[in-house]
Amino acid sequence: MHIHKFEQFWIKLSFVLIAFFIVTVVYGFVAMDLKVIGDHATIDPQNLADTKFGNPGVREVTRNGQTEYEVYVQTIQFAFNPGTAQPIVVPANTRVTFYITSPDVLHGFDVAGTNLNTMSIPGQVAKFTTIFPEVREYGIVCNEYCGPAHHVMEGKIKVVPKSEFDKSNLVE
Amino acid sequence: MTFIHKYPKAAKVAKANFIVAFIALAIGGLFGFVQALHRTNVFRGFFNSGEYYTLLTGHGVLLALIFTTFFIAGLFVWGVTRSLDREPENLTFTWSWFWLMTIGLVMATIAILGGLVPDSSIRAAVLYTFYPPLQAHPMFYIGLALVVVGSWMAGADWFWSYRKWRAENPNERIPILAFMTLFTMLMWYVCTIGLALEVVGLLIPWSLGWVTEIEPLLPRTLFWFFGHAVVYFWLLPAYYVWYAILPKLSGGRLFSDSMTRIVFIIFLLLSTPVGYHHQYADAGISVGFKFYAMATTLLILLPSLITLFTVVASMEHGARQRGGKGYLKWIGKLPWDSPAFVGCALAGIMFAAGGFSGMINASMNINVLIHNTIWVPGHFHLTVGTAVALTFMAITYWLLPQLTGRKLKYKTLALIQPYAWFLGMTLMSNAMHRAGLAGVPRRTAEPEYSGFDFEPIFGTMTEMKWQIAIGGTILMISLILFLWVVVASWLAGEKSDKPVDDYIPEPLSGVEHTPAILDNMKLWFGLALLLVVLAYAFPLWEMVADGIFSPGALPRPS
Ligand code: HEM
Ligand SMILES: [Cu+2]
Ligand SMILES: [Cu+2]
């Protein structure tokens, strides 16, 4: 077979480009802690009441001697619970782990303008951990079509200074 | 003599497919225009925001599934007939796949448009990805299944012609147009296994109420088993045009026959095992498999990059034949006044830009920034919405005269059309990409929220909104120009024995340099199946091991 020398050069260049992208992603994973959602747990979407999702909200836990927070969120047609009726309040500079699932249809959970972005799939629990460095508010958008009022589905995360974090709203 | 005079029966089949394709394009495009104005709040008087999702389903299904499939069928009928020099083997069979697909399309469309009738129980506002537990009327799923079965029969029809041809020409190499058709269809057979399992195995019984619960992740995974390869099912016919016809339109000939074949083989092998890259943000699929899909996805850049080289090299050769000189000055010698050439060339340029945003999509931890934002429609309006759709429109200017025996009318309008599409898409798509970076979601009738504002990094929200609305309007105008030229030429173009120059020259590096192994379809098909099993067997097993329908969710009306 005859491959023109320019074409051979181009093919080599293409491989370099492909390798560059793979290396960038791996670097993000390893060095910058840019992870993606993985396989966490399955759950019966018709029986969330018997799980921690039955009492959704922010919980305090101690892990490795550190105080951390866990947030259980149900995405429902057409609200985040918590998030829509009242904001999700978490302290800054603290590890926060989100657990998200849906009792009805697919939804999205996207903290606008950040890389906190996951699908919420009935039967699956999405889990990710983050630290909010800044004191500010973020909007949460449902970014997967979930029915005729999908466009009203929004919520809020309020990041407050550690010292002002009010523990009386935590759930057990 | 042109195609219609030599092969009148095949010409009729191809034309029938084109008619359906263009009707779908007209309706789907109109919906796109309405969406562009609605989303941006420039004009919301046509429909209310609940109905938006019915229109969006119509837009996705009619353009991405129906327009493409029917156009491709027409294009392949033309190519197989011409390159094997034979009419379809059995016209009853040929027409039966056409009518099966058409009945299916009408059923799906009725189910979708039913959503615009108040209180109708016939609805299908589930978008073209139809993820359960949102449930459409059974007619929607059954209609789509018929379209797919029809497309399988169409593929069988082309393999049938090939078998017959092979019996008469035992020592010939597969002609390049037929080769590209058959390999595209082999890929289609591999990927539609997932869709068939999903629709026939899960969704139809579920929508008929035979089972009540469904596990949402399983059909979603099966959908994406099909869902990335389907983009290559749209794209490969555009490549087929770029490889086989565009060099001729630029005044030259194809650069390399063997490279063309290798590219199609790589697509057959790698198109399906990459499906999880649409599920990077899903819980329930392990990071390891997502990584495998990412590596494969980036590898599949290779055939597209090779295509870029081959196409540009062929065009340069053409320009030099026409007297072009210099490193870049030859570009000016290309036939920028030929509508068919201009459409294909502009489509190719947009595809390069789309390829770039595609590399971002593929890189999974960067992808979370833009997953399900309007960046994604920004990306695929460059790829399927332009690279594919504009190529199809452009090549129609060259094919239609061959199929009707009539010359093209309104050449000036036909020439303005691709430039207008390019302009409209540049406006709409760049703004969609940037809005997506700010977090603006896709598939949302009113992306305005009461509790917060988007903070764009590049540009302002107002400017992006207007670019989308104006871009969408220019696209609509371009579409009307296209339809006008087609209808006018079809009905009233001047009859001629040779309405267009339809000769296709041999490649520069011809088939005599092509290794025989490249034509071994059994080998490549087997390997493709093996790669799919490696990618999908384990995750699918995990999903069905706890029961096919569990963890089960209840259906919800759409
Ligand atoms: C007149 C030209 C067009 C206009 C103005 C247009 C406009 C739009 C807009 C604004 C959206 C985003 C809707 C949303 O996410 O809320 C969209 C989605 C989409 N468009 Fe187009 N479009 C056009 C042509 C095309 C073509 C030619 C194709 C493919 C062949 C196409 C395929 C799609 C698909 C697949 C979607 C996604 C649907 C979904 O998310 O379910 N469009 N279009
Ligand atoms: Cu939603
Ligand atoms: Cu894909």
Side-chain angles (χ1 to χ4, degrees):
Chain A
M1 187 170 64
H2 167 76
I3 302 180
H4 193 279
K5 64 174 192 287
F6 288 167
E7 190 155 26
Q8 292 185 12
F9 174 72
W10 179 257
I11 292 174
K12 284 178 196 147
L13 209 66
S14 304
F15 272 113
V16 172
L17 183 74
I18 291 167
F20 168 79
F21 269 97
I22 297 186
V23 169
T24 311
V25 170
V26 175
Y27 179 81
F29 250 81
V30 178
M32 294 165 65
D33 208 30
L34 292 175
K35 301 243 162 42
V36 299
I37 306 287
D39 198 358
H40 173 62
T42 57
I43 193 165
D44 179 358
Q46 297 181 48
N47 272 315
L48 295 185
D50 302 340
T51 69
K52 285 185 176 170
F53 288 99
N55 187 11
V58 184
R59 285 155 212 269
E60 190 171 74
V61 291
T62 310
R63 213 167 271 141
N64 306 328
Q66 299 271 340
T67 304
E68 296 185 2
Y69 295 89
E70 288 182 340
V71 190
Y72 283 80
V73 184
Q74 279 199 42
T75 58
I76 51 179
Q77 283 178 323
F78 297 96
F80 297 101
N81 179 19
T84 301
Q86 68 292 100
I88 299 170
V89 185
V90 291
N93 295 312
T94 313
R95 278 174 70 91
V96 182
T97 303
F98 286 85
Y99 296 86
I100 297 166
T101 197
S102 168
D104 47 39
V105 299
L106 267 64
H107 299 272
F109 181 97
D110 180 21
V111 182
T114 74
N115 67 349
L116 303 178
N117 187 354
T118 180
M119 300 294 299
S120 175
I121 303 174
Q124 309 291 328
V125 179
K127 173 189 172 205
F128 60 87
T129 299
T130 191
I131 296 175
F132 293 98
E134 257 183 277
V135 171
R136 59 164 280 186
E137 285 185 1
Y138 292 96
I140 314 170
V141 181
C142 172
N143 65 4
E144 182 56 80
Y145 169 64
C146 57
H150 162 59
H151 45 273
V152 304
M153 185 163 166
E154 65 169 301
K156 218 183 256 183
I157 294 180
K158 213 167 153 179
V159 185
V160 299
K162 246 184 196 175
S163 52
E164 290 169 26
F165 184 60
D166 176 5
K167 296 196 176 177
S168 65
N169 290 327
L170 294 177
V171 298
E172 282 306 311
Chain B
M1 287 283 271
T2 190
F3 191 87
I4 185 172
H5 311 117
K6 274 188 243 160
Y7 314 106
K9 297 181 189 129
K12 209 165 165 194
V13 178
K15 278 188 287 190
N17 279 284
F18 280 3
I19 291 177
V20 177
F22 297 149
I23 294 175
L25 179 64
I27 304 173
L30 179 67
F31 290 176
F33 171 59
V34 174
Q35 286 155 214
L37 298 186
H38 191 109
R39 271 192 69 100
T40 50
N41 198 12
V42 168
F43 185 71
R44 285 189 179 154
F46 297 117
F47 295 97
N48 66 42
S49 289
E51 290 161 341
Y52 180 89
Y53 303 104
T54 287
L55 295 187
L56 187 55
T57 309
H59 183 73
V61 169
L62 286 175
L63 290 176
L65 303 178
I66 302 302
F67 161 62
T68 49
T69 306
F70 278 85
F71 190 91
I72 292 165
L75 182 66
F76 282 175
V77 167
W78 169 84
V80 168
T81 305
R82 171 181 168 130
S83 67
L84 301 180
D85 190 20
R86 43 193 316 135
E87 292 265 28
E89 302 309 316
N90 178 322
L91 280 170
T92 318
F93 182 72
T94 303
W95 285 109
S96 55
W97 63 252
F98 170 78
W99 283 111
L100 196 65
M101 295 204 322
T102 307
I103 293 169
L105 127 78
V106 171
M107 285 172 69
T109 309
I110 292 176
I112 297 168
L113 295 183
L116 297 176
V117 180
D119 301 321
S120 144
S121 65
I122 301 184
R123 291 178 59 82
V126 289
L127 307 188
Y128 83 111
T129 45
F130 46 85
Y131 303 134
L134 278 180
Q135 195 179 57
H137 191 275
M139 193 159 66
F140 175 76
Y141 305 111
I142 296 172
L144 290 184
L146 294 182
V147 174
V148 173
V149 173
S151 73
W152 287 345
M153 288 167 63
D157 205 357
W158 302 321
F159 273 96
W160 188 358
S161 288
Y162 166 70
R163 290 246 152 245
K164 290 276 182 173
W165 171 88
R166 178 51 89 204
E168 292 164 19
N169 301 274
N171 300 318
E172 295 263 327
R173 299 301 294 270
I174 309 176
I176 192 79
L177 282 172
F179 181 97
M180 292 191 277
T181 303
L182 298 180
F183 274 73
T184 306
M185 293 316 290
L186 286 177
M187 184 198 78
W188 182 242
Y189 288 124
V190 174
C191 76
T192 43
I193 297 172
L195 188 69
L197 287 175
E198 180 197 7
V199 174
V200 180
L202 302 173
L203 300 185
I204 292 178
W206 171 71
S207 67
L208 289 170
W210 299 346
V211 289
T212 40
E213 296 188 357
I214 193 141
E215 173 184 1
L217 186 62
L218 177 61
R220 180 174 159 84
T221 305
L222 289 171
F223 183 85
W224 288 115
F225 178 113
F226 154 81
H228 188 79
V230 75
V231 313
Y232 289 116
F233 179 65
W234 307 326
L235 196 61
L236 292 187
Y239 280 17
Y240 163 110
V241 169
W242 297 352
Y243 276 111
I245 309 171
L246 179 58
K248 182 249 151 48
L249 297 178
S250 14
R253 46 178 62 190
L254 175 61
F255 196 69
S256 158
D257 177 273
S258 21
M259 269 304 164
T260 311
R261 291 179 201 239
I262 290 176
V263 161
F264 275 71
I265 291 171
I266 303 179
F267 278 117
L268 166 62
L269 295 180
L270 297 185
S271 291
T272 308
V274 301
Y276 304 119
H277 70 208
H278 293 264
Q279 296 181 281
Y280 286 154
D282 283 20
I285 292 167
S286 71
V287 176
F289 279 102
K290 290 179 180 173
F291 203 89
Y292 174 76
M294 181 191 73
T296 329
T297 306
L298 288 170
L299 210 56
I300 213 170
L301 267 176
L302 183 68
S304 286
L305 289 166
I306 297 178
T307 301
L308 181 65
F309 181 91
T310 312
V311 171
V312 173
S314 313
M315 292 207 299
E316 178 180 345
H317 174 72
R320 295 201 189 282
Q321 296 300 103
R322 297 164 57 97
K325 299 255 156 25
Y327 276 124
L328 290 174
K329 261 171 68 189
W330 57 267
I331 296 175
K333 281 282 180 198
L334 288 167
W336 294 106
D337 55 353
S338 144
F341 170 82
V342 171
C344 292
L346 294 180
I349 294 173
M350 289 237 126
F351 187 61
F356 186 76
S357 69
M359 294 178 210
I360 306 270
N361 300 346
S363 308
M364 61 182 178
N365 45 13
I366 310 177
N367 171 282
V368 289
L369 261 181
I370 46 87
H371 170 75
N372 266 355
T373 68
I374 194 157
W375 163 291
V376 180
H379 160 74
F380 62 61
H381 280 90
L382 294 177
T383 53
V384 65
T386 301
V388 175
L390 185 55
T391 299
F392 287 0
M393 291 190 252
I395 211 60
T396 302
Y397 297 140
W398 185 74
L399 284 177
L400 198 65
Q402 301 179 36
L403 297 176
T404 56
R406 290 170 186 272
K407 288 191 175 167
L408 200 67
K409 271 176 89 89
Y410 303 120
K411 287 230 176 70
T412 320
L413 295 182
L415 184 62
I416 296 173
Q417 186 269 325
Y419 287 109
W421 192 274
F422 187 83
L423 174 67
M425 203 51 97
T426 305
L427 295 174
M428 184 168 98
S429 166
N430 91 79
M432 282 177 161
H433 277 95
R434 289 181 293 123
L437 283 177
V440 177
R442 68 185 281 200
R443 301 182 148 178
T444 298
E446 297 178 16
E448 300 119 25
Y449 296 91
S450 56
F452 65 95
D453 292 317
F454 292 109
E455 296 163 19
I457 314 167
F458 309 104
T460 67
M461 297 307 290
T462 319
E463 152 266 317
M464 289 184 230
K465 154 185 144 169
W466 281 107
Q467 288 204 40
I468 292 175
I470 296 170
T473 310
I474 298 175
L475 285 166
M476 190 66 220
I477 295 170
S478 169
L479 184 56
I480 292 170
L481 289 179
F482 170 75
L483 294 167
W484 174 246
V485 171
V486 166
V487 172
S489 310
W490 199 316
L491 298 179
E494 180 195 336
K495 286 210 168 159
S496 159
D497 244 10
K498 198 168 169 44
V500 68
D501 171 14
D502 63 0
Y503 170 71
I504 300 180
E506 289 300 310
L508 272 176
S509 167
V511 70
E512 62 283 2
H513 299 297
T514 303
I517 190 167
L518 297 184
D519 286 8
N520 187 335
M521 285 192 267
K522 287 202 185 91
L523 169 71
W524 302 118
F525 188 64
L527 248 149
L529 287 176
L530 181 70
L531 288 175
V532 169
V533 170
L534 285 179
Y536 272 98
F538 183 72
L540 284 178
W541 168 248
E542 272 198 329
M543 281 174 220
V544 299
D546 58 355
I548 292 179
F549 294 99
S550 76
L554 295 174
R556 309 279 159 161
S558 64

